[in-house]
Amino acid sequence: MKELRIRVLAGVFVVAGILSWAGARLWNSVGSLPSVPVAAPIVLALIAVVLAATALSIRARLKAQRERQPDAKGVDPLMAARAVVFGQASALVAALVAGMYGGTGVFLLEFLDIPARRDQAIYAGFSVLAALGVIAAAIFLERVCKLPEDDNNGQGAAPAA
């Protein structure tokens, strides 16, 4: 399984932000811009909490297993792999959502004198922050579940000549 790359997440964020900003400008010129849901930052924050709790649980179980504590519960490799896949998928979606709400929020900065638009800009900003929390929790989960590196970088011992 490949490790998450920050460059990919940043690229998704930037492209989604630019497209969202342009889309918001276009949509506003032909009609009323859809509102940013109040629940968006709440749902993203809940996902971040679930990812962080999963990472902390797996880390504690791995530590107990390494220290050979008597009642240590091991970590099922398949469960750890599923957690990493969930974290990676969440990080990619969060980067996309953060870019989308970030672009919309940047567009809404022009209209801060209108109370409804100001509220939408605030919701968009909190959504971006919550999405960054999802990304941070997903990266933490991935690091917790990472297998230790081989000492000889995967190469076998050289045959004696």
Side-chain angles (χ1 to χ4, degrees), residues 22-96:
R25 286 181 58 94
L26 178 65
W27 199 316
N28 194 53
S29 68
V30 295
S32 178
L33 184 67
S35 64
V36 177
V38 178
I42 297 168
V43 171
L44 288 167
L46 287 174
I47 293 170
V49 167
V50 167
L51 287 170
T54 302
L56 292 172
S57 172
I58 291 173
R59 185 175 74 168
R61 290 170 69 182
L62 286 172
K63 181 181 177 193
Q65 191 176 5
R66 270 193 308 269
E67 293 174 355
R68 303 194 192 281
Q69 294 177 357
D71 294 334
K73 250 179 121 175
V75 176
D76 180 28
L78 188 57
M79 190 270 307
R82 287 178 181 156
V84 170
V85 169
F86 173 61
Q88 288 182 346
S90 297
L92 286 169
V93 170
L96 182 67

Side-chain angles (χ1 to χ4, degrees), residues 111-131:
F111 304 101
L112 290 179
D113 55 332
I114 303 169
R117 293 286 175 113
R118 182 176 50 242
D119 291 344
Q120 294 302 307
I122 291 169
Y123 298 152
F126 281 136
S127 295
V128 170
L129 290 176

